[in-house]
Amino acid sequence: MMLRFVKLVTCLLIVSSSFAQDKWDLRRSVEYALQNNISVKQADLQIRFAQLDLKQAKLSQYPNANYSANVGYGSGRNQDPTNFSLITTGYLFSNHSLQTGVDVFNWFSKRSTIQARALDAASAKAGFEKAQNDVALNVAVAYLQALLANEQIRVAGVQVEQTKSQLESTRKQVEAGNLPEINAAQLEAQLAADSATLITAETSARQSALQLKALMNLDAALPFVIDTPPVELIPVESIADLQPETVYGLATVNMPQQKVDLLNIHSAQKYVQAARAAMYPTFSLFGSLGSSYNNKSQQLLSVSAVSLPVGKVTVGSTTYDVFASQPRYNYGDFPYFDQLNQNFRQSVGLSLSVPIFNGGNLRSAWQRSKLNLQQAELNKEQNSQTLKQDIYTAYNDATAALQKFNANKKAVETAQKTYDFATKRFEVGLLSTYDLITSQNNLTRAKYDMLSSQYDYVFKIKLLEFYKGQGLKL
């Protein structure tokens, strides 16, 4: 038992070390999520359900066959199930029956159902692709958020180091009597604020990692380090090549949701045909085989002649007896299998089933199927509108994010110059600590804004590339 425990711990350590050593890039994260995400697994189950329904619909075309058997005891005035005579004695009986039937013509109801089931199966496959796309997109969003959080940690860490350096320099000057104590106190307060910002950034990064793990269905306790490529090295297509109308035209062909909607409409049309056909007469062939046994039944074993006197006749003076010959029937036990063989019966025929009135179920089903068709058409229209709205929104957001990024980039350059000048003036005693801290905070805020707008731009472009059918690449 102890040996098994040691092996288990060793295995867990090996797995943990492998996760800790390896970095997760977007491709690996998406591939892992596609294999382990619960939504994807549920979509895969829907495919299996649809395939089972299709298989069952196909099998419904074949003849059905049912075998039944029973054994029991009968008493009182009853009919012998073997020779159909009336009896009053108790008896044991056994019956066997095999019945079969097949629809000959039902106005193509079953054929329409099979076609609808096949379309449902195709729709389930497209739904599986949609689930994969959704998971891949969500993983990409979470991955970019994690990258942004890591970049914010880097900026916050640089800010802390700069403040520490300024505090050390100021502390030396305070000790030398060149600067008042308040300068050092202000920098200590700024260092505390910068440290709090760093802690917030680290917490945000951990939350982003947990969110990414959840999408991947990865154990939250496992070490997890993402590969952090520089944001400026992430390949993005030119926004000029991602015009919304062009992207929408490609998305209607490439996106699985559009395939799902179209297949659902075709399936609903077939269900309407099947429901309408169910209201018409059905022609069927049927046949049956059966036999029965009764323990009181007897079979004829032999017949012998018996002479009995029936009168006298006188011829001359002599009287003679007159005999009449009649057969004697000798009966004996009737064996089980002999009875089954002798009582074997068969039947075959053609039946007609006409639905006249059944509480309006068939007509209600037909009307419901037409409403389902209208619902499928409305769903397609709504999803198309949503897709188009999302694409135009992403394009407008990408345009705004690009403009905002360019503006923030200039703001960072300006803030950096201002901070550099402020640092030099502070070092020679021409600038107060408060003004230096203000300049530093302005630079940090400008860097955060630039990173946020840059990642926002990258995400919006990646979203447009995704709708265009180019997949997700970082």
Side-chain angles (χ1 to χ4, degrees):
M1 184 69 180
M2 186 64 181
L3 181 59
R4 291 183 179 178
F5 177 75
V6 172
K7 289 182 178 180
L8 176 60
V9 172
T10 304
C11 180
L12 290 175
L13 289 175
I14 293 174
V15 172
S16 298
S17 62
S18 64
F19 275 99
Q21 294 172 1
D22 296 338
K23 290 187 176 181
W24 292 77
D25 58 12
L26 178 61
R27 179 178 179 181
R28 182 184 177 191
S29 301
V30 169
E31 289 177 352
Y32 188 91
L34 293 181
Q35 294 177 0
N36 297 277
N37 184 270
I38 295 178
S39 297
V40 175
K41 292 181 178 180
Q42 289 174 334
D44 181 63
L45 286 179
Q46 295 305 315
I47 294 179
R48 300 183 189 182
F49 284 131
Q51 290 175 341
L52 284 176
D53 291 339
L54 174 59
K55 182 178 181 180
Q56 188 276 326
K58 289 181 177 179
L59 291 176
S60 68
Q61 301 177 101
Y62 298 99
N64 60 69
N66 297 284
Y67 169 78
S68 63
N70 61 63
V71 61
Y73 175 81
S75 63
R77 186 175 178 82
N78 210 331
Q79 188 178 48
D80 189 328
T82 58
N83 56 24
F84 306 107
S85 62
L86 293 178
I87 57 177
T88 58
T89 59
Y91 63 94
L92 292 175
F93 65 88
S94 176
N95 296 309
H96 299 268
S97 175
L98 176 63
Q99 297 178 338
T100 184
V102 60
D103 290 340
V104 179
F105 184 70
N106 58 4
W107 304 91
F108 309 110
S109 177
K110 288 187 176 181
R111 188 177 71 176
S112 297
T113 302
I114 292 172
Q115 293 172 345
R117 297 296 190 191
L119 291 168
D120 287 342
S123 176
K125 290 181 180 180
F128 177 74
E129 294 177 6
K130 178 184 181 297
Q132 288 183 316
N133 277 4
D134 291 344
V135 168
L137 184 59
N138 291 334
V139 169
V141 173
Y143 193 89
L144 287 172
Q145 289 176 344
L147 290 182
L148 175 59
N150 289 341
E151 286 295 318
Q152 290 174 340
I153 290 176
R154 183 184 62 80
V155 173
V158 171
Q159 181 71 25
V160 169
E161 293 302 322
Q162 288 178 346
T163 305
K164 283 182 179 180
S165 177
Q166 292 168 357
L167 177 60
E168 291 175 0
S169 177
T170 302
R171 178 59 65 185
K172 291 178 182 179
Q173 295 190 42
V174 170
E175 292 174 354
N178 297 328
L179 291 175
E181 181 65 27
I182 190 173
N183 288 18
Q186 288 175 338
L187 284 173
E188 286 178 354
Q190 181 62 33
L191 179 59
D194 292 343
S195 299
T197 301
L198 177 59
I199 293 173
T200 301
E202 291 173 342
T203 302
S204 177
R206 287 193 293 269
Q207 292 293 337
S208 298
L210 287 175
Q211 182 181 4
L212 186 54
K213 283 183 179 181
L215 290 170
M216 296 166 59
N217 197 22
L218 185 65
D219 189 355
L222 289 175
F224 185 76
V225 179
I226 67 171
D227 187 21
T228 310
V231 64
E232 60 271 8
L233 296 182
I234 297 177
V236 292
E237 191 171 349
S238 173
I239 195 171
D241 298 329
L242 296 171
Q243 295 300 313
E245 198 61 34
T246 302
V247 173
Y248 174 72
L250 294 172
T252 56
V253 178
N254 297 322
M255 288 292 100
Q257 181 61 60
Q258 314 311 116
K259 299 178 183 178
V260 170
D261 293 336
L262 190 59
L263 289 169
N264 286 342
I265 289 177
H266 293 330
S267 173
Q269 291 172 343
K270 293 299 180 181
Y271 280 123
V272 171
Q273 296 175 7
R276 182 178 178 83
M279 296 189 295
Y280 291 98
T282 299
F283 295 91
S284 304
L285 283 175
F286 68 88
S288 66
L289 303 174
S291 188
S292 57
Y293 166 80
N294 186 340
N295 72 319
K296 296 299 183 179
S297 294
Q298 293 185 327
Q299 63 177 337
L300 181 63
L301 298 178
S302 62
V303 180
S304 58
V306 178
S307 297
L308 298 175
V310 296
K312 295 179 180 292
V313 63
T314 302
V315 179
S317 60
T318 305
T319 301
Y320 299 93
D321 291 329
V322 178
F323 294 88
S325 296
Q326 65 182 33
R328 173 182 290 177
Y329 299 96
N330 300 313
Y331 292 92
D333 293 336
F334 204 160
Y336 181 81
F337 290 102
D338 290 345
Q339 279 197 51
L340 294 182
N341 181 54
Q342 181 171 324
N343 296 330
F344 182 62
R345 56 188 178 273
Q346 314 88 37
S347 65
V348 65
L350 177 66
S351 68
L352 171 65
S353 175
V354 181
I356 298 175
F357 181 75
N358 54 10
N361 292 330
L362 294 179
R363 181 165 293 275
S364 296
W366 176 49
Q367 294 173 344
R368 187 175 296 107
S369 67
K370 292 193 294 183
L371 293 176
N372 288 335
L373 174 58
Q374 294 179 15
Q375 183 65 46
E377 293 171 344
L378 291 174
N379 287 340
K380 181 179 182 301
E381 183 179 354
Q382 183 178 21
N383 290 331
S384 296
Q385 291 179 354
T386 302
L387 177 63
K388 192 169 188 177
Q389 184 71 22
D390 290 344
I391 290 174
Y392 271 84
T393 300
Y395 179 80
N396 292 333
D397 290 345
T399 302
L402 178 59
Q403 295 172 352
K404 188 175 180 181
F405 168 68
N406 291 330
N408 288 333
K409 188 176 180 181
K410 292 181 180 179
V412 169
E413 294 174 356
T414 303
Q416 184 67 53
K417 291 180 180 179
T418 303
Y419 175 71
D420 292 340
F421 287 132
T423 302
K424 292 178 181 180
R425 296 187 64 189
F426 176 77
E427 291 174 352
V428 296
L430 298 178
L431 190 70
S432 67
T433 306
Y434 176 79
D435 291 334
L436 175 65
I437 292 174
T438 301
S439 177
Q440 183 175 315
N441 289 338
N442 290 338
L443 176 60
T444 302
R445 186 163 50 252
K447 288 181 178 180
Y448 273 117
D449 292 341
M450 184 187 72
L451 281 174
S452 179
S453 60
Q454 188 173 12
Y455 275 97
D456 187 43
Y457 171 70
V458 169
F459 169 67
K460 294 303 188 299
I461 292 296
K462 290 301 174 183
L463 185 60
L464 291 171
E465 292 176 357
F466 174 76
Y467 286 131
K468 191 177 179 181
Q470 296 180 206
L472 295 168
K473 299 178 182 178
L474 288 185

